[in-house]
């Protein structure tokens, strides 16, 4: 889009010059050389390259993709980008065995038929959308970085209560945007019940450790804002698998609510709901088509609060464009590189979780640390949704499940 706008300005300049607007003496021919049209490194459609041309052993790569598509893994899409080109991709729908397994464990009356699952998760190809689940958290993080560069947020160290004014009059004013990004807010996790949709404090470790299941609530924002601090040293049922763990202040506790509040900060800081802000500043520059889920409230950001903690739908190829943007170090435009400072911070992380991104070492013991020579930065979503960025080898790997 920016390239077309820039090219239009060149045409306008040429037209004015032809009409005598160049300012030279009458009758004198003025020769001008228009600047080159900007060619974005962010692809609309991926260029392809063979495995051997990309430096891979073809048979080994085939074996890896066959493994990824193993019956029982419920894989929908796997694709590999190397040096900005698509090397290999595979797609499939549900297998007969997978459909039969789901039918045998489903609590839905209609779900006890394998045909139900075959109809729901039939053939899939490159044009089929996939659901990101918590991979969306990393997209929300990128929007925070964009809002900072645009001067709509001061920095990640800014108090969240500057925008979440419900927190400004109590001790929650100490929570920074960085605390939310790193899931160290210290606020009690919230969960919703599938039978009623009511939201309350999580009652067990399993529900809390997956972020706090709020997906069943009609309003998935209000209760995330209306949380209190957990009390250090207090035993909560959600702290440990045994239900007898004491809460430690400042520790990492995976929290869907923390990210949902980040979405509201984006809304209040920019005046745009997260989806619209993403469309203008992230999706359009990267040639991504995506849909973000909302909850069911009639008010909120845009007739419903956008679920920034999850649920961004796009194609696997488009998700790879987000990973490639990170690999490039930001969004390249005719004016230069945007958001480079925030992206460089993401790529430089040397701990397992920071800024809504995960990181692991590419070798044993696989824990990200300053001692690791190649830290792999990635998004991770429920049921195995991944965008993996390998800076050392210039690779983006995407995997999505049905």
């Amino acid at each position: 889009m920016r390239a077309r706008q820039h090219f239009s300005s060149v045409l306008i300049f040429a037209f004015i010059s032809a009409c005598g607007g160049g300012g030279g003496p009458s009758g004198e021919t003025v020769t001008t050389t228009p600047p080159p049209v900007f060619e974005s490194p962010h692809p609309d459609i991926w260029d392809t390259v063979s495995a051997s041309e990309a430096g891979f052993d073809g048979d080994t790569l085939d074996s890896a993709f066959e493994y990824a598509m193993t019956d029982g893994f419920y894989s929908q899409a796997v694709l590999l980008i190397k040096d900005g080109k698509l090397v290999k991709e595979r797609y499939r729908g549900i297998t007969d065995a997978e459909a039969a397994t789901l039918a045998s464990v489903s609590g839905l009356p209609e779900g006890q038929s394998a045909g139900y699952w075959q109809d729901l998760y039939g053939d899939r190809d490159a044009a089929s959308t996939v659901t990101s689940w918590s991979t969306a958290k990393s997209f929300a993080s990128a929007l925070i970085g964009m809002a900072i560069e645009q001067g709509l947020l001061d920095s990640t160290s800014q108090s969240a209560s500057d925008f979440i004014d419900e927190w400004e009059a109590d001790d929650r004013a100490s929570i920074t945007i960085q605390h939310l990004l790193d899931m160290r807010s210290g606020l009690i996790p919230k969960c919703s019940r599938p039978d009623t949709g009511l939201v309350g404090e999580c009652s067990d470790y399993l529900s809390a450790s997956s972020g706090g299941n709020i997906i069943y609530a009609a309003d998935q924002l209000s209760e995330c804002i209306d949380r209190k601090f957990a009390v250090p040293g207090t035993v909560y049922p959600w702290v440990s698998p045994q239900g007898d763990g004491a809460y430690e202040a400042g520790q990492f506790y995976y929290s869907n609510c923390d990210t949902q509040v980040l979405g509201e900060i984006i809304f209040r800081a920019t005046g745009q709901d997260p989806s619209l802000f993403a469309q203008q500043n992230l999706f359009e520059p990267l040639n991504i088509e995506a849909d973000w889920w909302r909850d069911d409230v009639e008010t909120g950001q845009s007739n419903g609060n956008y679920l920034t903690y999850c649920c961004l739908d796009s194609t696997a190829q488009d998700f790879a464009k987000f990973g490639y943007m990170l690999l490039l170090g930001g969004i390249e435009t005719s004016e230069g590189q945007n958001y480079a400072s925030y992206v460089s911070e993401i790529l430089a992380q040397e701990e397992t979780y920071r800024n809504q991104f995960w990181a692991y070492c590419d070798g044993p013991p696989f824990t990200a640390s300053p001692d690791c020579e190649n830290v792999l930065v990635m998004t991770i979503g429920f049921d195995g949704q991944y965008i993996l960025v390998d800076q050392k080898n210039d690779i983006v790997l995407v995997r999505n499940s049905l």
Side-chain angles (χ1 to χ4, degrees), residues 188-191 200-213 234-248 251-256 358:
I188 289 175
K190 292 286 186 79
C191 292
E201 181 179 343
C202 294
S203 60
D204 61 90
Y205 174 79
L206 183 62
S207 298
S209 63
S210 61
N213 192 352
T234 300
V235 173
Y236 292 99
W238 46 264
V239 170
S240 67
Q242 295 76 26
D244 57 358
Y247 172 75
E248 296 181 43
Q251 295 299 305
F252 166 77
Y253 290 95
Y254 193 65
S255 172
N256 289 330
W358 297 86

Side-chain angles (χ1 to χ4, degrees), residues 251-315:
Q251 295 299 305
F252 166 77
Y253 290 95
Y254 193 65
S255 172
N256 289 330
C257 270
D258 280 4
T259 314
Q260 187 67 356
V261 173
L262 286 173
E264 183 67 2
I265 290 175
I266 292 167
F267 174 60
R268 297 186 187 184
T270 68
Q272 296 178 311
D273 64 60
S275 180
L276 180 57
F277 188 69
Q279 181 65 30
Q280 295 178 351
N281 295 280
L282 183 61
F283 299 155
E284 287 187 4
L286 299 185
N287 301 301
I288 288 175
E289 293 185 8
D291 292 309
W292 221 320
W293 297 15
R294 293 175 293 180
D295 65 18
D296 293 328
V297 297
E298 294 182 356
T299 55
Q301 297 160 3
S302 180
N303 295 320
N305 301 301
Y306 280 89
L307 308 185
T308 42
Y309 72 91
C310 79
C311 312
L312 182 68
D313 290 355
S314 189
T315 65

Side-chain angles (χ1 to χ4, degrees), residues 113-124:
S113 164
Y116 171 81
W117 301 105
Q118 289 162 339
D119 291 341
L120 196 61
Y121 298 114
D123 293 339
R124 295 291 191 270

Side-chain angles (χ1 to χ4, degrees), residues 148-226:
I148 291 171
E149 181 161 312
Q150 294 179 24
L152 302 171
L153 297 173
D154 293 340
S155 69
T156 59
S157 61
Q158 185 174 7
S159 173
S161 67
D162 287 352
F163 304 95
I164 308 301
D165 51 16
E166 295 91 334
W167 295 355
E168 64 184 357
D170 56 46
D171 52 359
R172 292 175 298 180
S174 63
I175 300 172
T176 66
I177 294 172
Q178 191 67 59
H179 287 141
L180 296 170
L181 285 166
D182 296 346
M183 296 192 179
R184 297 175 186 269
S185 69
L187 299 175
I188 289 175
K190 292 286 186 79
C191 292
S192 62
R193 293 179 53 179
D195 54 342
T196 65
L198 297 178
V199 180
E201 181 179 343
C202 294
S203 60
D204 61 90
Y205 174 79
L206 183 62
S207 298
S209 63
S210 61
N213 192 352
I214 57 176
I215 194 70
Y216 300 108
D219 178 354
Q220 297 181 41
L221 175 65
S222 297
E223 290 291 338
C224 286
I225 293 176
D226 187 22

Side-chain angles (χ1 to χ4, degrees), residues 25 36 95 110 127 160 174 230 240 243 246 270 282 317 319 325 330 357-358 397:
T95 68
E110 64 272 25
S174 63
S240 67
T270 68
L282 183 61
Q317 286 196 5
F319 279 132
M325 178 274 292
F357 283 85
W358 297 86
L397 183 68

